[in-house]
Amino acid sequence: MQTHKDLDIWKLGMDLVEKIYFLTKNFPDDEKFGLTSQMRRASVSFPSNISEGAARNSLKDYIRFLYISLGSLSELETQ
């Protein structure tokens, strides 16, 4: 039986989280609680919502969480 950890999109999301943390670690200190924090939260939200949706017993819920993940990516793109 497969889990969210078997999904390529979840794996890519986890790679994205690592890259965002790496990129933001050298942001100015005055962005620590602003842009840095927001970018990190948005990046973590992407694979987190994929995993939460995959754990649901409903295809409808799973799809809803995938759309939430897409929203997190859009937010990150804007930042």
Side-chain angles (χ1 to χ4, degrees):
M1 181 169 195
Q2 289 190 332
T3 70
H4 64 278
K5 292 180 181 181
D6 298 309
L7 299 171
D8 289 337
I9 193 67
W10 181 83
K11 293 174 188 176
L12 290 170
M14 294 302 291
D15 290 342
L16 177 65
V17 171
E18 289 182 21
K19 289 175 183 169
I20 292 298
Y21 268 76
F22 177 78
L23 290 171
T24 58
K25 74 179 179 181
N26 291 320
F27 276 20
D29 287 340
D30 61 340
E31 286 296 343
K32 183 177 182 182
F33 297 108
L35 192 58
T36 300
S37 176
Q38 191 63 27
M39 289 177 71
R40 287 178 175 187
R41 284 189 317 227
S43 69
V44 169
S45 178
F46 174 61
S48 295
N49 278 295
I50 292 171
S51 63
E52 185 171 353
R56 300 290 174 138
N57 290 328
S58 155
L59 180 60
K60 183 178 177 182
D61 278 345
Y62 184 35
I63 291 169
R64 184 171 65 89
F65 277 92
L66 291 178
Y67 276 112
I68 293 169
S69 292
L70 182 59
S72 296
L73 283 180
S74 295
E75 183 180 349
L76 184 58
E77 178 183 34
T78 299
Q79 295 157 353

